[in-house]
Amino acid sequence: MYKIVDKKTLAPNIFSMDIEAPRVAKSCLPGQFVIVRIDEKGERIPLTICDYDAQKGTVKIVFQTLGKSTKEMAEFEVGEYFSDFVGPLGQPSDLTKESEEELKKKNIIFVAGGVGTAPVYPQVKWLNAHGVKADVIVGCKSKDYLLFEDELKKVSGNLYITTDDGSYGYKGFVTDKLKELIDKEGKKYNHAVVIGPMIMMKFLSKLTKEYGIETVVSLNPIMVDGTGMCGACRVTVGGEVKFACVDGPEFDGHLVNFDESMRRQTMYKTEEGREILKKEEGDTFHRKGCTCGGDK
Amino acid sequence: MAADKMKRVPIKEQDPKVRATNFDEVCLGYTKEEAIKEASRCLNCKKPMCVTKCPVSINIPGFISKIKEEKFDEAAKIIAQSSALPAVCGRVCPQESQCEGKCVLGIKGEAISIGKLERFVADWSRENNVDLSERKPANGIKVAVIGSGPSGLTCAGDLAKLGYDVTIFEALHKAGGVLVYGIPEFRLPKDTVVQHEVDNVKKLGVKIETDVIIGRTITIDDLFEEEGFKAVFIGSGAGLPRFMGIPGENLNGVFSANEFLTRNNLMKAFKDDYDTPIKVGAKVAVVGGGNVAMDAARTALRLGAEVHIVYRRSESELPARAEEVHHAKEEGIQFNLLTNPIEVLGNEKGWVKGIRCIRMELGEPDASGRRRPIEIKGSEFDLDVDTVIMSLGTSPNPLISSTTKGLDINKKRCIIAEDETGKTSRDGVYAGGDAVTGAATVILAMEAGKKAAKAIDEYLKK
């Protein structure tokens, strides 16, 4: 059992929690993720690691309530326990494998979308601790949804905020902001890390390809075990099949087949929808016998 | 009477039509009377051939004669000397090619139902709370076991009996390995049988830490250097699924058998009150012919689908146990033999709508001794299905070998270990089961765990 030692509401439907998991906290590196199972009947949910403290033995996760499981997760309070908290999983970010000398040769731009800001933060923080200041663009719906602004300010070079509705910072998409930085402000980047919704990573990778900037994306496919034993999370990268949970989650954004990944993400859409309905409206249907095939 | 002695006491099973709609155990097991009657057929051979073919050398005539005498607890204790998982092995071992294959009665009649008798004893001792936790005094020496499948549980149990302080590290949230995520409920009940055998290992003093992934959460080097373990046994299995590499394999609706079975068995997706979803269409193709393929097919059937096995060789080459193939057929699984998929076909939304197959014929025997399947040109045809489950075998996960200094592996990514001892290239590190051999059987994994426990004991006594 894994104790929840801190909980905060960061934005509407977005929460952070510090979980006591000493073994995980000791081994974490930026870019990795964990799998949480809230109780005996729960499913295994992959979540990116947002921060960790080996001394205290805690790991910070950030999540947005999307389906039944994350909604239930948000109902847990400080002092309560999750059944399972497994990790760290996946490969650490390639940046953590490079020497400080090599890192200093790079001009790095991070682009975060929505909750994707959470996994960007530990990477920028890690770089700062190793003497490298990276620029960061954070994109969100509106000012209310902005995460980690103060924290990021402390560890990044320049921090650019964009909001869809213009309620804070630059009004528009992260792609527009990046274009502006390069075209109008003469910024030169040779390495980009992009984490956010699949569609954002797709379009940003397209853009950085035009500019010839090497680009890393962090994929978030459906997962079950997270240890490489099932292939639910398989993605096509450069024509090869990879398991995101062991080979990734970070891949070369210019080689990822985003359309396939987006399609695979929707595989259980109807089941998730039905679970929510069931919770909110009671058991008005039964899984067996339904052969409608969902949203095929 | 003499003719009667050559025939087995038949075993009761759930009716195929009924069981095809539920996840309850198919085989109902012997009653006390039936077990005694079956046991009384045993000739109690002076040189029992059955024992020679049991990988863990259970004293078979010994326990069977105790059944005859109705001393079931003594029978259980005889089995416990050799096996930590009798309720599992009695159910899933391929006895026809092991103990029962060598039974003298099998020459002219039917071999003794050794597996079903072992199962009877194990089930009886569970229901009657027989204590099998005899062990030597604690010696305080720490040994780590990686993986809680059959090899790890056996190795841990044997070491605990010898007095070692054993901790099992398991990556998933539940102990048992393939016994909990792979083999379905209708062959091996989880809450009663598997959980009880795991609890028996715990009663020997073995600690089990779940949610720990060796190579990620902690490394083998850390176990030695920081946590004071004096020896390590790797029983991490072969859990990495293989795909065919044909077009369309990433369409929605294509699963590995591992994913399909994990969702159903470990995550209990078939139960309405569990959160993990499972998607099974109206018509399912399972590609492969092993036990895992049978398990996946029979699971899909129970979830309401029409199910086709697609296998490239003929019936006599099916690697699955004869009993499982028989059960599958009884339940209405359709076999498409000498058939191989060449492409998964999708609709405009990226969902499976069929598989394109080609007919095969058998040529000369290959290196494995089985006749090689050869494509018949121009025989392509489409099978309309909306779900495809790939059951083509598995290989060991490289996570441990790639994060442990000095641990040698072969080109199939299997850990290299000595046959008789499980000794690896790294001092103090032993390995066994599927991690060494690639996907094999439960009982062979147990044998490897047993041998390694003995070798670890000798190593630590030096």
Side-chain angles (χ1 to χ4, degrees):
Chain A
M1 299 290 268
Y2 300 84
K3 195 175 180 180
I4 301 161
V5 293
D6 186 53
K7 178 188 177 185
K8 282 190 184 79
T9 307
L10 303 181
N13 301 322
I14 300 175
F15 302 87
S16 78
M17 282 181 179
D18 290 354
I19 313 294
E20 208 170 72
R23 281 195 196 277
V24 186
K26 213 173 143 194
S27 309
C28 282
L29 278 170
Q32 294 185 295
F33 64 99
V34 291
I35 280 191
V36 179
R37 195 176 69 123
I38 56 177
D39 58 25
E40 206 38 49
K41 291 181 178 173
E43 60 183 331
R44 295 170 67 96
I45 315 159
L47 294 164
T48 28
I49 294 164
C50 173
D51 207 353
Y52 44 88
D53 187 328
Q55 239 98 55
K56 281 195 215 154
T58 59
V59 177
K60 190 188 289 293
I61 49 171
V62 170
F63 61 95
Q64 184 168 22
T65 57
L66 287 170
K68 176 177 185 275
S69 292
T70 41
K71 275 189 182 165
E72 277 179 16
M73 224 173 121
E75 285 164 20
F76 279 74
E77 297 300 337
V78 171
E80 292 188 297
Y81 295 80
F82 289 136
S83 280
D84 300 281
F85 192 85
V86 201
L89 294 160
Q91 301 287 342
S93 158
D94 277 341
L95 293 173
T96 65
K97 295 170 191 164
E98 290 183 23
S99 68
E100 281 186 26
E101 220 168 274
E102 283 173 82
L103 287 173
K104 278 179 183 150
K105 285 184 203 150
K106 291 191 171 176
N107 276 323
I108 307 173
I109 176 86
F110 281 83
V111 184
V115 209
T117 316
V120 158
Y121 171 62
Q123 298 211 26
V124 180
K125 184 180 167 187
W126 189 92
L127 285 172
N128 182 55
H130 290 79
V132 177
K133 292 269 187 203
D135 282 3
V136 182
I137 303 175
V138 173
C140 50
K141 260 195 285 189
S142 71
K143 190 175 190 298
D144 291 344
Y145 289 87
L146 180 58
L147 311 179
F148 294 101
E149 186 187 11
D150 296 338
E151 289 89 338
L152 275 171
K153 250 184 202 154
K154 283 182 208 148
V155 292
S156 57
N158 299 297
L159 176 66
Y160 308 100
I161 313 288
T162 77
T163 49
D164 297 354
D165 62 0
S167 53
Y168 192 61
Y170 177 92
K171 181 179 189 308
F173 296 126
V174 285
T175 35
D176 302 330
K177 183 69 203 176
L178 182 63
K179 257 194 242 172
E180 196 183 280
L181 287 177
I182 296 169
D183 295 343
K184 293 190 185 152
E185 298 187 29
K187 295 274 187 185
K188 285 193 174 27
Y189 299 111
N190 51 25
H191 186 90
V193 179
V194 186
I195 309 180
M198 208 77 93
I199 189 86
M200 176 200 118
M201 293 193 280
K202 176 185 168 175
F203 283 111
L204 226 117
S205 296
K206 225 174 165 178
L207 181 71
T208 56
K209 194 163 186 192
E210 285 166 25
Y211 285 113
I213 304 170
E214 61 177 25
T215 300
V216 168
V217 296
S218 177
L219 298 183
N220 50 345
I222 290 173
M223 285 190 190
V224 183
D225 62 288
T227 64
M229 64 173 261
C230 85
C233 65
R234 60 193 192 276
V235 293
T236 305
V237 182
E240 270 181 70
V241 175
K242 302 273 183 191
F243 290 5
C245 72
V246 288
D247 302 318
E250 295 193 348
F251 293 103
D252 182 337
H254 298 153
L255 298 178
V256 169
N257 183 338
F258 285 105
D259 293 337
E260 176 188 278
S261 290
M262 281 189 270
R263 163 171 58 68
R264 286 185 60 82
Q265 261 188 342
T266 65
M267 215 179 319
Y268 290 95
K269 225 175 177 179
T270 45
E271 267 81 357
E272 277 189 6
R274 281 197 280 172
E275 282 302 329
I276 297 169
L277 270 180
K278 185 169 157 182
K279 196 154 180 251
E280 287 169 0
E281 295 171 16
D283 196 358
T284 52
F285 58 87
H286 201 264
R287 177 178 298 156
K288 275 178 200 145
C290 169
T291 51
C292 64
D295 57 350
K296 264 185 258 188
Chain B
M1 195 63 197
D4 206 20
K5 249 204 139 161
M6 299 311 288
K7 275 203 168 307
R8 288 182 164 183
V9 175
I11 195 98
K12 287 191 197 71
E13 287 174 350
Q14 263 202 86
D15 181 81
K17 284 208 181 72
V18 177
R19 72 180 192 238
T21 63
N22 66 45
F23 280 89
D24 299 339
E25 201 174 6
V26 168
C27 174
L28 303 173
Y30 280 142
T31 62
K32 208 157 83 177
E33 293 71 25
E34 287 166 342
I36 295 166
K37 200 173 160 201
E38 177 64 14
S40 68
R41 296 204 305 131
C42 176
L43 302 175
N44 205 358
C45 302
K46 279 223 176 69
K47 284 185 182 167
M49 294 305 288
C50 52
V51 179
T52 64
K53 288 296 265 183
C54 170
V56 294
S57 310
I58 294 175
N59 174 0
I60 295 167
F63 92 78
I64 291 184
S65 54
K66 291 297 172 192
I67 300 178
K68 274 188 231 175
E69 296 166 25
E70 295 192 41
K71 290 175 181 160
F72 306 130
D73 54 339
E74 287 180 31
K77 279 174 191 162
I78 290 174
I79 297 174
Q81 288 165 5
S82 312
S83 171
L85 311 168
V88 171
C89 288
R91 285 171 166 85
V92 305
C93 272
Q95 288 104 2
E96 64 273 16
S97 57
Q98 294 176 336
C99 56
E100 293 177 13
K102 279 285 172 188
C103 173
V104 174
L105 284 175
I107 301 170
K108 288 193 171 163
E110 290 181 335
I112 295 282
S113 286
I114 300 167
K116 303 286 193 282
L117 288 175
E118 180 188 23
R119 166 189 164 150
F120 166 78
V121 170
D123 288 354
W124 187 91
S125 66
R126 177 180 70 246
E127 283 151 19
N128 291 277
N129 296 314
V130 177
D131 182 15
L132 302 169
S133 60
E134 231 180 309
R135 60 177 189 267
K136 288 189 180 164
N139 61 21
I141 302 170
K142 286 173 79 177
V143 181
V145 170
I146 301 169
S148 65
S151 70
L153 287 173
T154 302
C155 185
D158 278 14
L159 286 167
K161 281 188 207 164
L162 293 168
Y164 291 95
D165 178 2
V166 186
T167 306
I168 298 181
F169 295 99
E170 166 58 47
L172 291 172
H173 57 260
K174 218 172 176 76
V178 75
L179 309 176
V180 296
Y181 76 75
I183 304 173
E185 196 75 23
F186 54 83
R187 282 217 288 143
L188 187 62
K190 309 290 161 240
D191 291 344
T192 48
V193 174
V194 180
Q195 191 55 48
H196 184 263
E197 307 238 298
V198 171
D199 288 345
N200 275 349
V201 173
K202 281 193 198 162
K203 275 183 201 152
L204 291 165
V206 173
K207 285 163 271 186
I208 302 184
E209 273 198 55
T210 51
D211 296 339
V212 178
I213 300 173
I214 303 298
R216 286 272 180 263
T217 315
I218 188 165
T219 62
I220 288 184
D221 295 306
D222 292 338
L223 290 177
F224 280 115
E225 287 155 23
E226 293 176 24
E227 304 214 8
F229 287 93
K230 299 296 176 208
V232 172
F233 173 75
I234 305 171
S236 51
L240 203 72
R242 231 172 272 153
F243 286 91
M244 294 189 83
I246 56 174
E249 224 170 359
N250 282 356
L251 286 165
N252 290 5
V254 183
F255 305 97
S256 70
N258 262 13
E259 179 187 352
F260 188 72
L261 291 171
T262 299
R263 284 182 183 274
N264 209 65
N265 300 332
L266 177 70
M267 307 310 294
K268 302 202 187 308
F270 70 94
K271 291 189 179 175
D272 283 334
D273 52 344
Y274 283 73
D275 292 342
T276 301
I278 196 159
K279 193 123 200 165
V280 65
K283 220 172 153 185
V284 177
V286 177
V287 182
N291 286 317
V292 177
M294 298 306 136
D295 286 345
R298 297 171 70 197
T299 297
L301 179 97
R302 281 160 172 77
L303 292 167
E306 175 191 316
V307 184
H308 294 258
I309 292 271
V310 176
Y311 179 58
R312 61 195 183 126
R313 290 183 159 104
S314 74
E315 172 140 12
S316 54
E317 286 85 16
L318 280 171
R321 284 186 70 191
E323 185 180 337
E324 301 311 322
V325 175
H326 172 70
H327 279 153
K329 283 186 175 168
E330 274 186 337
E331 289 164 10
I333 308 278
Q334 298 173 44
F335 284 73
N336 300 257
L337 301 165
L338 291 166
T339 304
N340 207 29
I342 48 174
E343 184 181 355
V344 184
L345 309 169
N347 66 17
E348 64 290 344
K349 285 191 175 164
W351 282 85
V352 174
K353 67 166 189 185
I355 44 172
R356 182 150 297 158
C357 298
I358 188 160
R359 305 250 186 235
M360 311 291 277
E361 59 187 356
L362 292 180
E364 294 299 308
D366 62 12
S368 74
R370 294 185 300 173
R371 294 177 66 192
R372 190 197 307 271
I374 302 164
E375 293 184 351
I376 302 174
K377 279 209 175 81
S379 66
E380 290 88 349
F381 68 100
D382 293 349
L383 196 62
D384 293 333
V385 292
D386 51 15
T387 303
V388 178
I389 300 170
M390 293 293 179
S391 179
L392 310 157
T394 52
S395 57
N397 191 321
L399 197 52
I400 290 175
S401 50
S402 66
T403 55
T404 307
K405 286 173 228 153
L407 187 67
D408 292 347
I409 54 171
N410 65 22
K411 62 177 187 291
K412 286 182 167 171
R413 287 172 166 179
C414 297
I415 296 169
I416 297 170
E418 286 177 11
D419 253 5
E420 281 311 302
T421 60
K423 194 177 179 317
T424 68
S425 56
R426 173 87 188 260
D427 201 35
V429 177
Y430 294 74
D434 289 1
V436 171
T437 58
T441 61
V442 168
I443 191 74
L444 286 175
M446 289 177 58
E447 178 188 24
K450 242 187 147 49
K451 285 178 174 172
K454 191 166 163 264
I456 289 170
D457 180 44
E458 282 162 11
Y459 164 79
L460 290 173
K461 273 187 183 149
K462 264 183 211 162

